Amino acid sequence: MSELPAPIPEANTHCPYCALQCATQLHGDLDVGVKVRPRDFPVNRGRLCQKGWTATEVLHTADRLTRPLVRGPAGRLRETSWETALDTVARGLRGIRAQHGPDAVAVFGGGGLTNEKAYLLGKFARLALGTSQIDYNGRFCMSSAAAAGNAAFGLDRGLPFPVTDLRGAQTVLLAGANIAETMPPLMQHLDQARLIVMDPRRTATARRAALHLQPTPGTDLALALGLLHVAVAEGLVDQDYVHERTHGFDSAARRALAWWPERVEEVTGVPASAQRRAVRMLAEADSTYVLTGRGVEQHSNGTDTVAGFVNLALALGLPGRPSSGYGCLTGQGNGQGGREHGQKADQLPGYRSLTDPAARAHVAQVWGVAPDELPGPGRSAYELLDALGGEHGPRALLVFGSNPAVSAPHTSHVTERLASLDLLVVADFVPSETARMADVVLPVTQWAEEEGTLTNLEGRVLRRRSLLPPPPEVHSDLQVLHDLAVRLGEPAGRYPTEPREVFEELRAASRGGRADYSGISYERLDAGESLHWPCPDTATTPHPGTPRLFLDRFAHPDGRARFADVDHRGPAEEISSAYPLYATTGRVLTHYQSGAQTRRVAELNEAVPEPFLEVHPDTAARCGLAECGLAVVVSARGSMTARVRLDATMRLDTVFVPFHFPAAGRANLFTHPALDPRSGMPEFKVCAVRIAPYQE
């Protein structure tokens, strides 16, 4: 009698892409292939986007990194053993530190790393390397909203309420968010709401809106001030809420009074009538939400701009009210957890400040070191990349989970800085554009090969579960950090390699912090509990987590939210006769971030195989461009090449390019590196360009 076939392995996990973190079930193995199907889960309710459905294709991409690589004397990367690769890295790091000091070594992390990886990476940088020079690509994603949220509410959590609360919304303002393309399963939660979409482009989301506000790029804060003006002038402010739950309204209102709708129309191009209609729609609904995205955050005044929309939400009495609120739509898969546990230049685990003596003492005690052994804050992401190889900048860089050769602004300059390093080390599972520049490439596990936790956009802590064993010569990021730390003289026990053990330490390090995970455990998550932070460890009944924040008080000591006294200023670069058009960048449905994963999926790459330039037909005609022809987009910093797409809904003064593509198709060849002074966010969303037909 023949034996029954072995059961096909299954694993309940989550999508590897955006911060919605849709629930999935993987089934299959290396022999039969791995398939994915959605699970019924609150955020996705049994749905996936095109990226989620095809996510398993990356698991067996033909150019998967499976052996360590070291650049040889001839300048080519060649396979080697782990011993040789790690010894090479450790020897290089020791030499650079000995000659130039600990800050000559830097670390660049990613918003897609699990909580465990982000935590151990920050610990490794500050203890094993002794460097202050650590930041991550989340600085390019959520930093402006985080700074504004902390200032307004005393705490930064993308959505301070569950996604499912949006299903009862009557009116929702989406400011700079195109979720129909970037987070498609989220749209089902907004089916019943009247949408007000603020975007310079008529995006897929804007086409579903009851009202589309189409401002000139770089004028979002002027529009926010105008909306607050309308609320004040028409008596739509919730005076009781403002009096009982906030501070600073009078100064914010005085600023807004200078921005009457007709003046705002002159600056932004948004009709005064549309401004008034938008505020009335928000104020008259019983359930109202204001949600911001990258479109209003990725500016050199991004923190102030987000604060302008927070001011509007506070004036209408939305945050901390059942069935209403303000929230930010976090982008990267672990964009929330990734910034909470120590890979950001100014933070320690638990969302603690690196300059707070009590925070330093707590984390140092958990780590078994003296507080004065912890370095101070370092440079923010672009400042760090800009300083590489300079006289007082880092001489070595370790990159985990990021591809700055494509994703950083002014990438021609950033790639020059990367090339100037004495040592560039990249840990990745595909040969990204940054990995191809490296002196040492370390192959690490993919999402379906590893355990861990992530925190989605609503502060819900989720379990990532493995289905497949990694290839024989592939190590986990935790193992890599452990092995390097030991080679640098650290105690082996200080750097656990098992995710569960790392998470237990993370719980202790976060205890009492703003992002308190101490009451969360693998056991509770594996039992199916839904746990949103803060979730402190309690002596009696386990804490249930906090799905809804601010219902009774905000996180400032006095329990009140703060209005921000902000005023509009233009972008770092205005249009001119030499550069007469505004350029803005963003994502498309089928690709994600720098495209290092999605460009390796045949279905996704066939849908959008190359960069494109979206431009109004009249603008294209004036510049000599034709549909499907090649165009060059030129700014004062550089140029890129893209295929022309004519779109009659575009503003005549604005062009759009997606940022997912490499080489000459990098949109960030022309973007502006001007930084928000509070968040360190670069100005990705607006710069001055000219366009012309491409010439060989």
Side-chain angles (χ1 to χ4, degrees):
M1 186 173 179
S2 61
E3 295 183 4
L4 292 174
I8 296 177
E10 293 183 349
N12 288 337
T13 187
H14 294 266
C15 178
Y17 293 117
C18 81
L20 202 57
Q21 283 296 287
C22 296
T24 60
Q25 183 181 76
L26 304 180
H27 55 102
D29 56 30
L30 294 173
D31 293 326
V32 303
V34 179
K35 301 297 181 184
V36 63
R37 52 180 169 244
R39 287 190 287 133
D40 189 18
F41 191 71
V43 296
N44 62 307
R45 301 176 73 237
R47 300 185 187 182
L48 293 175
C49 74
Q50 194 173 5
K51 292 185 293 293
W53 279 112
T54 59
T56 58
E57 297 299 309
V58 186
L59 297 173
H60 50 77
T61 184
D63 60 350
R64 170 74 189 271
L65 294 170
T66 58
R67 294 284 304 277
L69 305 173
V70 172
R71 197 169 298 279
R76 300 182 64 180
L77 287 169
R78 298 201 177 275
E79 291 187 354
T80 189
S81 68
W82 272 99
E83 289 296 314
T84 299
L86 293 170
D87 287 347
T88 300
V89 175
R91 184 168 56 250
L93 295 176
R94 284 196 299 267
I96 291 167
R97 289 172 65 202
Q99 184 174 357
H100 302 286
D103 277 357
V105 176
V107 176
F108 199 83
L113 300 178
T114 62
N115 290 319
E116 292 80 1
K117 294 180 190 178
Y119 171 82
L120 204 67
L121 188 63
K123 181 180 181 182
F124 171 84
R126 295 184 172 101
L127 296 189
L129 298 177
T131 184
S132 68
Q133 301 301 296
I134 175 173
D135 211 73
Y136 79 129
N137 63 15
R139 181 76 67 171
F140 300 156
C141 179
M142 278 293 298
S143 57
S144 292
N150 279 320
F153 309 123
L155 185 148
D156 157 46
R157 198 178 86 187
L159 295 185
F161 48 80
V163 161
T164 50
D165 283 5
L166 295 172
R167 295 189 65 78
Q170 293 176 350
T171 303
V172 177
L173 169 61
L174 293 170
N178 179 20
I179 59 176
E181 291 195 80
T182 60
M183 293 180 173
L186 182 58
M187 287 298 291
Q188 65 186 305
H189 296 284
L190 301 174
D191 283 344
Q192 305 304 313
R194 294 184 301 170
L195 298 183
I196 304 167
V197 174
M198 198 198 86
D199 199 303
R201 302 167 57 224
R202 189 158 179 79
T203 63
T205 309
R207 289 195 294 271
R208 296 176 64 171
L211 178 62
H212 178 204
L213 309 178
Q214 199 167 6
T216 303
T219 64
D220 302 332
L221 180 51
L223 182 52
L225 288 161
L227 298 179
L228 180 57
H229 177 106
V230 173
V232 174
E234 298 195 3
L236 300 176
V237 173
D238 187 333
Q239 296 289 353
D240 290 341
Y241 175 98
V242 167
H243 175 72
E244 295 169 5
R245 302 204 62 186
T246 72
H247 285 307
F249 171 74
D250 289 344
S251 59
R254 279 194 297 270
R255 290 283 190 188
L257 288 177
W259 289 93
W260 58 92
E262 289 74 17
R263 182 191 179 195
V264 173
E265 180 175 349
E266 289 182 2
V267 173
T268 68
V270 176
S273 59
Q275 298 172 48
R276 293 186 173 98
R277 182 185 170 200
V279 178
R280 291 165 188 163
M281 288 173 64
L282 294 168
E284 292 168 2
D286 293 327
S287 177
T288 303
Y289 291 87
V290 173
L291 305 177
T292 59
R294 306 300 81 72
V296 300
E297 298 161 17
Q298 291 178 323
H299 294 273
S300 58
N301 65 343
T303 302
D304 285 354
T305 302
V306 175
F309 287 96
V310 172
N311 283 352
L312 175 65
L314 289 171
L316 297 176
L318 307 181
R321 197 180 90 198
S323 304
S324 292
Y326 162 79
C328 170
L329 298 167
T330 305
Q332 294 192 74
N334 198 31
Q336 184 69 57
R339 68 181 181 275
E340 294 168 0
H341 297 301
Q343 63 172 334
K344 196 175 177 186
D346 55 355
Q347 285 180 196
L348 289 170
Y351 220 135
R352 288 182 157 93
S353 171
L354 194 51
T355 59
D356 178 1
R360 293 172 65 88
H362 175 86
V363 174
Q365 188 274 328
V366 174
W367 288 354
V369 299
D372 59 6
E373 292 184 49
L374 301 181
R379 297 176 174 94
S380 68
Y382 182 77
E383 294 171 312
L384 175 58
L385 296 171
D386 180 49
L388 295 176
E391 182 179 358
H392 302 293
R395 305 296 312 173
L397 179 69
L398 284 71
V399 179
F400 287 78
S402 189
N403 188 18
V406 173
S407 64
H410 199 359
T411 51
S412 59
H413 174 68
V414 168
T415 52
E416 288 174 1
R417 295 296 85 218
L418 291 169
S420 74
L421 289 167
D422 297 336
L423 178 65
L424 175 60
V425 181
V426 175
D428 211 328
F429 52 81
V430 293
S432 70
E433 286 69 28
T434 307
R436 292 191 185 109
M437 298 183 66
D439 300 295
V440 181
V441 180
L442 304 175
V444 292
T445 49
Q446 289 199 60
W447 58 285
E449 301 163 352
E450 62 185 19
E451 298 284 321
T453 62
L454 300 98
T455 307
N456 76 347
L457 78 172
E458 53 182 0
R460 187 195 305 254
V461 182
L462 306 167
R463 278 280 278 121
R464 172 174 284 179
R465 296 180 179 87
S466 65
L467 176 79
L468 303 173
E473 289 295 309
V474 168
H475 290 186
S476 72
D477 299 78
L478 301 181
Q479 185 70 56
V480 169
L481 294 173
H482 172 275
D483 291 347
L484 284 175
V486 170
R487 282 170 168 78
L488 294 172
E490 286 284 286
R494 186 172 281 171
Y495 300 88
T497 60
E498 291 300 319
R500 187 180 297 258
E501 190 175 349
V502 176
F503 191 80
E504 287 300 305
E505 187 178 308
L506 181 157
R507 292 176 63 194
S510 73
R511 181 174 286 111
R514 282 184 286 178
D516 190 336
Y517 283 41
S518 61
I520 303 173
S521 66
Y522 273 40
E523 289 76 17
R524 294 186 71 184
L525 295 175
D526 288 343
E529 290 193 64
S530 177
L531 299 173
H532 300 70
W533 70 261
C535 182
D537 192 11
T538 55
T540 55
T541 304
H543 193 283
T546 314
R548 294 174 184 83
L549 295 168
F550 313 141
L551 294 179
D552 300 315
R553 64 192 318 274
F554 293 98
H556 288 297
D558 62 3
R560 291 172 174 258
R562 271 58 168 162
F563 281 86
D565 185 359
V566 294
D567 202 1
H568 171 69
R569 59 179 172 83
E573 182 175 70
E574 292 286 358
I575 56 176
S576 64
S577 58
Y579 303 104
L581 297 171
Y582 295 106
T584 189
T585 66
R587 283 174 50 191
V588 298
L589 173 65
T590 54
H591 286 297
Y592 182 71
Q593 303 301 84
S594 73
Q597 296 175 70
T598 53
R599 284 186 276 112
R600 288 172 163 82
V601 177
E603 178 181 325
L604 303 180
N605 206 48
E606 288 168 7
V608 184
E610 60 183 352
F612 60 85
L613 171 71
E614 202 170 77
V615 58
H616 192 283
D618 292 351
T619 306
R622 286 198 304 271
C623 298
L625 303 181
E627 177 78 24
C628 296
L630 284 177
V632 61
V633 185
V634 185
S635 77
R637 288 154 299 284
S639 63
M640 60 87 67
T641 306
R643 188 76 59 185
V644 175
R645 287 189 183 181
L646 302 183
D647 185 344
T649 70
M650 288 291 291
R651 292 178 56 98
L652 290 166
D653 60 359
T654 302
V655 298
F656 168 80
V657 178
F659 57 70
H660 310 292
F661 297 93
R666 288 175 291 173
N668 284 320
L669 288 167
F670 64 73
T671 53
H672 205 298
L675 302 182
D676 182 289
R678 292 166 62 193
S679 68
M681 172 71 80
E683 190 146 79
F684 288 107
K685 289 302 183 192
V686 58
C687 68
V689 301
R690 65 174 180 266
I691 56 176
Y694 174 76
Q695 302 290 333
E696 288 287 349

